[in-house]
Amino acid sequence: MKFFRPRGRHETGRRAASPLDRAAALYGAGRYAEAEAEARAVAGSRRRNDPYVPLALGVAALATGAQGRHAEALAAYDALLPAALAAFGTEHPQALKVRSDRAQTLSALGRYSESEAECEAVARAAARGTGPETPLVVAAARNGLIFAIGAQGRHAEAEALAREAIAAHGEQDRFALVLRLGLARSLNGQARHEEALAEAERADELHGRLPAEQRRAETGAVALAVAGALLGLGRGAEARARAASAHDACLAAFGPHHRRTVEARALLDRIDCA
């Protein structure tokens, strides 16, 4: 996950050290409980109007959600959002990132229509920006929008948005990965399982090329997309193996209550009951 920060550089032109560097490194390493504790410590150690306070609380909320404590994460975002808007302004990338992360937490709690509306608003606002972070905020919000729309059964609409977002993003990074996974989910939702499998395999290739810190947040996601396509193609034994792999990986990385762990368990149950 990309963490934005107030800009600051040494005289040499290199980026100045951030008080959140350790929390970001812990998050990137998948050490979410430690990242949460470190970010909260940073927030508690600084003056109330320090711009690093809302940034630290945002990292803490993100790490809370990564541990499957989605309701707590939403409460943290709700408490954080007014401070982020006050510190950065309503259309600053920092504030829009908080809104995007909050919206995707709504999806994790099954509140898809609310997530859809907020992701759409964030994507629209971010698209008006010109800073270097703008494409990342737009891609994240569009990914959340695609997921929320697909979760409501509007798979053709999700497919169209995913294809548009992939073409617009251009980079071969984590956001390209999640957008391709969104496309694979939308194709599975339309019973176009051969196409879904091809997209999931493209996502798997990209996943393997990314640095480890960009892959961890998507642990199990590729295997789930592949398993769904294989199941639709009648390849039940292969589907079960991939779903079991996804479940075990998600359980180890995120715990039993994370939405992706729950999704993998539900897919396993569906295969076993078929």
Side-chain angles (χ1 to χ4, degrees):
M1 175 59 64
K2 179 73 172 178
F3 295 108
F4 306 148
R5 67 192 80 206
R7 293 184 180 86
R9 294 185 178 271
H10 294 300
E11 292 80 357
T12 61
R14 291 177 297 175
R15 181 183 65 78
S18 160
L20 284 173
D21 282 347
R22 175 168 164 75
L26 288 166
Y27 185 94
R31 294 162 62 180
Y32 301 122
E34 294 171 78
E36 178 190 355
E38 175 68 16
R40 291 192 188 283
V42 170
S45 70
R46 306 184 79 83
R47 294 172 182 249
R48 186 174 180 179
N49 62 349
D50 188 316
Y52 274 106
V53 171
L55 292 182
L57 292 174
V59 174
L62 199 64
T64 300
Q67 297 170 76
R69 290 157 40 213
H70 301 302
E72 286 182 56
L74 181 60
Y77 284 124
D78 287 343
L80 161 64
L81 187 55
L85 294 173
F88 303 116
T90 57
E91 295 201 354
H92 190 281
Q94 305 279 12
L96 291 174
K97 181 184 185 301
V98 172
R99 287 179 62 189
S100 176
D101 291 342
R102 177 186 176 277
Q104 295 183 61
T105 303
L106 288 169
S107 270
L109 292 167
R111 294 164 61 176
Y112 301 120
S113 61
E114 295 172 75
S115 179
E116 176 189 352
E118 182 67 345
C119 285
E120 188 171 21
V122 171
R124 191 166 52 247
R128 295 194 288 266
T130 57
E133 301 94 349
T134 292
L136 303 180
V137 180
V138 171
R142 284 178 174 167
N143 174 59
L145 179 62
I146 291 159
F147 186 93
I149 287 174
Q152 295 174 79
R154 291 152 48 202
H155 301 296
E157 186 179 347
E159 178 194 355
L161 287 170
R163 292 190 186 280
E164 179 184 338
I166 290 166
H169 185 60
E171 300 294 328
Q172 293 299 296
D173 57 8
R174 174 181 173 265
F175 291 105
L177 171 64
V178 296
L179 291 169
R180 284 213 171 273
L181 288 170
L183 177 55
R185 281 193 303 270
S186 73
L187 293 167
N188 270 329
Q190 296 174 77
R192 291 159 57 189
H193 301 300
E194 289 279 7
E195 295 172 77
L197 183 58
E199 284 299 334
E201 288 172 343
R202 290 187 189 100
D204 197 15
E205 290 174 9
L206 175 56
H207 183 268
R209 295 197 301 269
L210 292 176
E213 64 272 13
Q214 290 192 36
R215 295 199 303 265
R216 286 194 180 92
E218 305 316 314
T219 294
V222 172
L224 270 176
V226 171
L230 290 171
L231 181 61
L233 292 168
R235 296 158 62 179
E238 294 172 78
R240 195 190 192 288
R242 294 305 293 264
S245 173
H247 179 264
D248 291 347
C250 291
L251 189 63
F254 309 124
H257 305 300
H258 190 276
R259 70 154 183 89
R260 198 175 302 140
T261 311
V262 172
E263 182 184 355
R265 181 70 261 169
L267 182 57
L268 274 173
D269 291 344
R270 180 177 153 207
I271 293 169
D272 290 343
C273 290

